[in-house]
Amino acid sequence: MKNTGLELELAQLQNVYDLITEFLVKYSFQLLGALIIFLLGLWLAAKVANTVGRQLEKHNVDVTLATFVTHLVRILIIIMIAIVALGKLGISVTPMVAAIGAASLGAGLAIQGMLSNYAAGVTIIVTRPFIVGNTITVKGTTGLVKDIRLGLTILTNEEGEQISIPNKHIIGEILHNSFANKLVETHFNIDYKADPQQAIAIAQAVLGSHPSVDANSPSQVGINGFNSTGIDIGVRYWVPTASYFQDKYQINLQIWQGLQQAGIQIPCPARDIRITERQED
């Protein structure tokens, strides 16, 4: 019984050996040809991708877009060469292409959000509505652009927080781009007995002497309105987004100190309360 089992195993191994030998003898040239075609395809893909990359760099195309295009070109060439190599082995690629198409449809439906982010990222890179270093506001979120990727845009604020916004939420929305600076809008009241021109001059002097206030975007100071407390003075100026609150607080302090030195009072809301005695009958 033991000899019979051993002979059976040897016979099975011999059959496998014969099948492998027959396959190699019959398809050795096809395998060698397919391997050579595939290796040449890899070399060609790298060569073409590098050439495309150099041309994009020569025309100052954004680095992110250039990397995406070169990788896409390399993958497409490799896929085409793989189809040719499989055809060399006598393998029909038609059923495979149909299966890949069906799988791609299902995968596309599953990752349509990701694909829409990538499509929006390409649109941002090509149209360049903003670049790294700009200050943008999208859906109430403001920050300094730190990085632009195919799937998302990364912002940062003065606190050092990192804000990631999917690109599909940027394209098609109202986008505010104030470049490297951010607008400060503030106002204060002065007494009706005070000279508004003097208060305006004090604020303008503070803004003109502060190093962070953008000189290329003229500051605006004037009478914003009138209320029951006093004359409302409005102030508008631009400072770097990276130091927005720090600069705003410093300028507010300097304006207040200037008003105090000039004897201009900032009135406080006041109420007159009268207490009347109730006369008893």
Side-chain angles (χ1 to χ4, degrees), residues 143-164:
L144 199 66
V145 179
K146 182 179 180 182
D147 192 14
I148 303 172
R149 301 177 183 175
L150 283 177
L152 52 86
T153 296
I154 299 176
L155 310 181
T156 184
N157 55 23
E158 191 172 350
E159 289 74 30
E161 296 176 330
Q162 181 171 297
I163 306 168
S164 300

Side-chain angles (χ1 to χ4, degrees), residues 19 35 45 49-50 53 65-66 88 100 108 158-159 168 185 193 205 223 243 251 271 278:
L19 287 174
L35 180 61
N50 291 334
L65 179 60
K88 185 67 177 177
I100 293 175
E158 191 172 350
E159 289 74 30
K168 67 179 181 180
E185 293 185 275
K193 297 179 180 179
I223 297 177
S243 58
I251 290 172
R271 291 183 179 180
R278 180 179 179 183

